Amino acid sequence: MSGQYDVIVIGAGLAGLTAAKKLEEYNLRVLVLEAEDRVGGRLKTDESEGFLFDQGFQVLLTAYPEARKYLNYDELNLKTFKAGAVCYNKKNVFTVKDAGNNPLTALNMAFSPVGSLMDKVRMGNLKARLMKKDLESIFNDPELSTIEYLEQKGFSDRIIQRFFKPFFGGIFLENELVTSSRMFEFVFKMFSEGQTAVPAKGMEEIPKQLKDKLKTSRFRFHTKVKSVRGTSVTLANSEVIEAKQLIIACDAEHILENMKGSIRWNKTANYYFEADRSVLKQNIIALNYAEDGLVNHFTVISDAAPEYSARGKSLVSVSLREIPNRSVEEVSRDIQNELSVTYGPEVQQWRFIRNYHIKKALPALTDLKHEVSFTETRLAENLYLAGDHLLNGSINAALKSGELAAKAAVLDHQPSDPVSS
């Protein structure tokens, strides 16, 4: 197969698919190798028993600039969540809303027990300031941990414990908010400027749409790469494929010796239940602020996207604070016992359906970036790297990294090389 392709892209996640899209624009011949049976990388949706199960609770922030560039939101048929959250512990339940321009909502927020009146003033000021702040400035600012940032901004321990920790802990997949303040500002800005959504048919529709836009790229699934030497790719079955250039758009530590252990990962555990009806009765996320809670947050995802349940039942998605080391049966029972204290005995009637324990869910990064020079994706001559770990852990960064790697490959592509028409 030597010489058939200009570029081999290893990995059919968002970064690899975006790289292939950009390479096609320059009429380069692309082969995408994927170890699994379909595209998606860390964005996967399974279907069973009339339900759709995203592999880990994930959402699309519609304000992501790269998502706006590469995705057709209308075709994805996005279903949105309400801005804000339900906050609960074993004794109390209250709602945090984005007041926006609604004076009645603003009045309700003034009396919300989520924090002090000054906390709510600071929250409004923070939103106004970040909506005016450009992304370049956000990612050029000095880095603090998010918890240090919130404390320096004067937020009380009450609002940090009741809202910021469960909300952003669920986004960052770590409970202590050690994630960079750059990421906090970026995500806060994206939440403020757009909507929180899922495609009607699941998060995997995002990579599927990217693949459907490709016209000439070729795919080989169930194709695991064993190693890379120069621009030669050795597969697990010992087959060797060569191209003029390679883009590694997957977890490269099993491919490149010098990449082993180079990325730390945050984990997540996600459990799904079937319920006769929704205990939330609205398309919103519920945050557990009890310090000893097993659950970080949950949502009745079929309230936001009815298409996730074709059986007329409610589908509950529960995210935990850590991956438990007990049996699935014990954990699912503990989840129901915990939630039934707040949401009543009907939770005990939920039917556990399936779970996901994801050890490599989100890269744990320092020195977060919004963008780098595309030449920084070059690992060696004609060898490039793509993935959100180059920038920051987000859908936006995954898309951007694929574009950057493709641009570097195009820049290095020899003009005398034959190019398909």
Side-chain angles (χ1 to χ4, degrees):
M1 302 186 72
S2 176
Q4 289 190 20
Y5 302 102
D6 294 306
V7 187
I8 292 176
V9 177
I10 303 173
L14 300 186
L17 294 168
T18 308
K21 173 66 174 175
K22 295 301 295 184
L23 293 168
E24 279 193 2
E25 293 176 7
Y26 290 88
N27 296 319
L28 297 181
R29 300 165 298 179
V30 179
L31 173 66
V32 182
L33 303 178
E34 171 55 50
E36 298 192 35
D37 61 346
R38 63 199 199 267
V39 299
R42 304 200 308 269
L43 282 185
K44 292 280 179 45
T45 304
D46 297 322
E47 185 172 1
S48 179
E49 301 183 46
F51 295 109
L52 297 175
F53 307 99
D54 292 329
Q55 294 187 12
F57 178 69
Q58 301 176 74
V59 294
L60 173 66
L61 302 185
T62 61
Y64 281 151
E66 298 301 316
R68 288 176 169 176
K69 182 193 301 184
Y70 284 105
L71 301 177
N72 184 315
Y73 289 173
D74 289 338
E75 290 179 1
L76 288 174
N77 190 13
L78 295 179
K79 306 295 181 177
T80 60
F81 292 87
K82 284 185 178 179
V86 171
C87 300
Y88 73 92
N89 64 5
K90 295 177 182 178
K91 297 180 180 179
N92 302 306
V93 180
F94 56 86
T95 301
V96 177
K97 297 179 180 179
D98 184 348
N101 296 318
N102 187 331
L104 293 177
T105 304
L107 181 63
N108 290 337
M109 274 301 297
F111 295 99
S112 168
V114 70
S116 68
L117 181 59
M118 283 307 301
D119 284 326
K120 295 155 194 171
V121 171
R122 291 186 182 101
M123 183 84 84
N125 291 340
L126 179 63
K127 176 179 177 179
R129 182 175 66 83
L130 290 180
M131 288 184 72
K132 295 177 182 178
K133 191 173 182 180
D134 62 74
L135 295 181
E136 183 178 354
S137 297
I138 286 175
F139 283 93
N140 283 335
D141 274 356
E143 287 186 285
L144 303 169
S145 68
T146 293
I147 189 68
E148 290 172 323
Y149 175 93
L150 293 171
E151 290 170 349
Q152 286 193 13
K153 295 296 181 185
F155 287 103
S156 71
D157 183 66
R158 181 167 63 168
I159 197 170
I160 289 174
Q161 296 298 327
R162 293 187 173 190
F163 176 74
F164 285 115
K165 273 197 170 181
F167 189 82
F168 285 92
I171 294 167
F172 301 152
L173 304 183
E174 52 92 2
N175 302 318
E176 303 305 317
L177 299 189
V178 297
T179 297
S180 168
S181 54
R182 293 176 183 173
M183 196 64 187
F184 171 81
E185 286 199 341
F186 172 59
V187 172
F188 197 104
K189 179 179 175 68
M190 294 297 99
F191 273 110
S192 299
E193 294 182 350
Q195 294 179 299
T196 305
V198 294
K201 294 184 179 180
M203 290 295 287
E204 193 176 323
E205 290 301 299
I206 294 173
K208 283 182 178 179
Q209 184 182 99
L210 292 172
K211 181 179 183 295
D212 289 344
K213 290 183 178 181
L214 297 174
K215 299 177 181 178
T216 60
S217 297
R218 298 293 179 260
F219 285 80
R220 287 184 59 175
F221 296 101
H222 299 289
T223 304
K224 187 173 182 178
V225 173
K226 180 180 179 182
S227 64
V228 165
R229 182 182 294 273
T231 58
S232 295
V233 178
T234 301
L235 306 182
N237 64 2
S238 298
E239 178 186 353
V240 177
I241 309 175
E242 295 185 0
K244 295 163 187 171
Q245 296 171 303
L246 303 179
I247 294 177
I248 300 177
C250 63
D251 183 5
E253 67 174 5
H254 70 282
I255 299 175
L256 299 173
E257 186 69 27
N258 62 352
M259 291 292 293
K260 286 186 177 180
S262 61
I263 305 172
R264 294 186 302 108
W265 294 89
N266 289 339
K267 308 171 184 178
T268 189
N270 183 211
Y271 282 65
Y272 285 98
F273 297 84
E274 175 192 275
D276 287 335
R277 70 181 189 95
S278 169
V279 295
L280 294 177
K281 302 181 181 67
Q282 56 182 326
N283 54 329
I284 201 166
I285 295 170
L287 309 174
N288 179 20
Y289 67 89
E291 292 185 6
D292 59 348
L294 168 67
V295 175
N296 183 82
H297 65 272
F298 78 94
T299 187
V300 182
I301 197 163
S302 54
D303 284 348
E307 293 84 351
Y308 271 62
S309 173
R311 301 178 50 189
K313 300 283 188 176
S314 291
L315 180 64
V316 185
S317 173
V318 180
S319 295
L320 308 185
R321 290 178 176 170
E322 58 186 18
I323 294 179
N325 57 7
R326 306 187 301 283
S327 71
V328 170
E329 291 76 18
E330 289 178 296
V331 175
S332 60
R333 184 173 62 249
D334 289 346
I335 290 170
Q336 290 174 271
N337 289 339
E338 180 175 298
L339 291 177
S340 64
V341 173
T342 305
Y343 288 95
E346 69 178 282
V347 176
Q348 297 289 356
Q349 304 305 312
W350 290 358
R351 181 175 72 92
F352 167 72
I353 312 174
R354 68 168 54 197
N355 72 290
Y356 298 96
H357 290 177
I358 305 170
K359 294 183 178 180
K360 292 184 176 182
L362 196 68
L365 305 173
T366 57
D367 190 21
L368 274 66
K369 301 177 177 67
H370 173 58
E371 186 167 356
V372 296
S373 168
F374 54 83
T375 57
E376 292 185 47
T377 67
R378 189 187 296 116
L379 289 177
E381 185 178 3
N382 293 317
L383 178 63
Y384 312 89
L385 194 63
D388 60 351
H389 57 278
L390 297 178
L391 301 170
N392 60 79
S394 66
I395 287 174
N396 190 76
L399 297 168
K400 186 66 177 180
S401 73
E403 176 185 288
L404 293 171
K407 285 182 176 180
V410 169
L411 177 70
D412 294 343
H413 192 76
Q414 297 300 317
S416 60
D417 289 342
V419 176
S420 58
S421 59

